[in-house]
Amino acid sequence: SLTPSDVFEWGDFACTDVLQYSYRPVQLDVKTTDHYDRLFAADVPTLETTLGETLGVHPGKRINQEEEPVLVLGCGNSKFGEDLIEHGWNGPILQVDVSSRVVHDLTERCRDEERIQVFQDDAAVLSAIEDETISALVDKGLVDAVFCADDVQQCREILQTAHRVLKKGGVFCCFSFSRPQFFLPKILPHNLWESLELRCLPNIYLYRFCK
C-alpha cells in the first residue's frame, strides 16, 4: 500500500523538468479553436521559457508584497507543489485532490511546510476557494484523465471553475497528451477565456489559458 513518502509523477515528468523548457507556440482562436494546421509547421520557431513565465507567478520577491497563490489540481502524491517551494516560489501553494487518502498522506508529508495547504475538494466545484483569489492553476493530468473517460461535461465544469477562482489575468496551465483537434472543440466553454496558447513541448502539450 502507498505511504506518505511515495511519489508518482503522471506523464513521467516533474516540476523540475519544466523549470526551463523549449516549446513551439501555436496561437489558438478561443472562439473557433482553429489553426491546427500550424501545429507542426516547419517554420514555427522553437522558443525557450521558464515555469515562472508560464504561470505568470515567478519565484523570488513578490510584486507589491501581495500573495500569489498557486493551485495544483488533482495533485495526487506528486511533488509538484513541494518542488515549487523548493525552487523559490513563495506560495501559498494549494494542493487539492478528491481522494481523502491522498489528502491525508500529502498533509502528513508536507506537515513541516506552512506555505503548502492540502485539502480535499472536487476540481469541478472547488467549494473551498473564493472567486478571483488564485494567481495560477496547474493541472498535470486531471483534465486529460477525465477527457479520456469521455466525461466532457466534467471537463467543461473544471475549466469553468478554474476561470471562476482565477484572478483577472490569471493563468490555467493544463498539461495534456490530447491533441487539440480532438480536445478543444469538446471541452472549451464558448467565449470564456481571454486567450489560449498551445505550447508543444518535446513529449507533451501545454494548454495555457489566460483569464
Side-chain angles (χ1 to χ4, degrees):
S1 61
L2 294 175
T3 69
S5 61
D6 287 319
V7 175
F8 173 73
E9 296 293 354
W10 174 90
D12 199 29
F13 78 98
C15 175
T16 50
D17 294 317
V18 289
L19 291 175
Q20 294 182 315
Y21 65 92
S22 303
Y23 73 98
R24 285 183 295 166
V26 181
Q27 292 296 145
L28 298 174
D29 188 326
V30 292
K31 297 179 182 178
T32 64
T33 60
D34 205 349
H35 309 309
Y36 300 127
D37 59 321
R38 296 285 296 166
L39 258 179
F40 302 105
D43 61 340
V44 175
T46 298
L47 303 179
E48 302 285 333
T49 193
T50 64
L51 183 58
E53 178 276 331
T54 306
L55 297 176
V57 178
H58 296 268
K61 186 177 179 181
R62 291 191 178 110
I63 299 175
N64 300 323
Q65 298 303 306
E66 294 182 2
E67 287 192 343
E68 298 176 298
V70 177
L71 176 59
V72 182
L73 292 177
C75 59
N77 59 8
S78 166
K79 290 193 70 176
F80 201 98
E82 295 153 86
D83 285 340
L84 287 174
I85 294 294
E86 183 177 341
H87 287 88
W89 274 263
N90 293 291
I93 306 299
L94 312 180
Q95 303 196 93
V96 58
D97 201 281
V98 74
S99 166
S100 59
R101 176 60 188 272
V102 163
V103 170
H104 174 273
D105 286 353
L106 204 56
T107 299
E108 175 67 17
R109 198 169 82 198
C110 300
R111 66 184 183 278
D112 296 327
E113 179 48 77
E114 62 182 16
R115 291 172 294 176
I116 293 180
Q117 303 169 25
V118 187
F119 56 97
Q120 183 179 5
D121 207 338
D122 182 346
V125 180
L126 294 180
S127 58
I129 306 295
E130 296 182 1
D131 295 359
E132 299 187 347
T133 56
I134 303 298
S135 298
L137 276 84
V138 178
D139 165 38
K140 194 161 76 78
L142 174 64
V143 171
D144 230 21
V146 174
F147 180 73
C148 290
D150 209 26
D151 194 341
V152 173
Q153 181 57 35
Q154 188 177 15
C155 288
R156 291 175 177 168
E157 290 170 0
I158 291 171
L159 263 74
Q160 289 165 348
T161 298
H163 188 276
R164 175 183 68 78
V165 302
L166 277 173
K167 299 176 182 179
K168 184 175 177 56
V171 173
F172 175 39
C173 294
C174 177
F175 291 93
S176 171
F177 290 111
S178 298
R179 288 176 173 266
Q181 58 265 48
F182 306 115
F183 188 55
L184 291 176
K186 292 184 177 180
I187 62 100
L188 195 62
H190 183 60
N191 288 347
L192 187 62
W193 299 93
E194 180 68 23
S195 64
L196 167 60
E197 182 186 2
L198 171 62
R199 297 184 174 185
C200 303
L201 280 64
N203 298 311
I204 200 167
Y205 298 120
L206 168 59
Y207 295 90
R208 187 177 187 270
F209 300 87
C210 188
K211 180 171 177 177

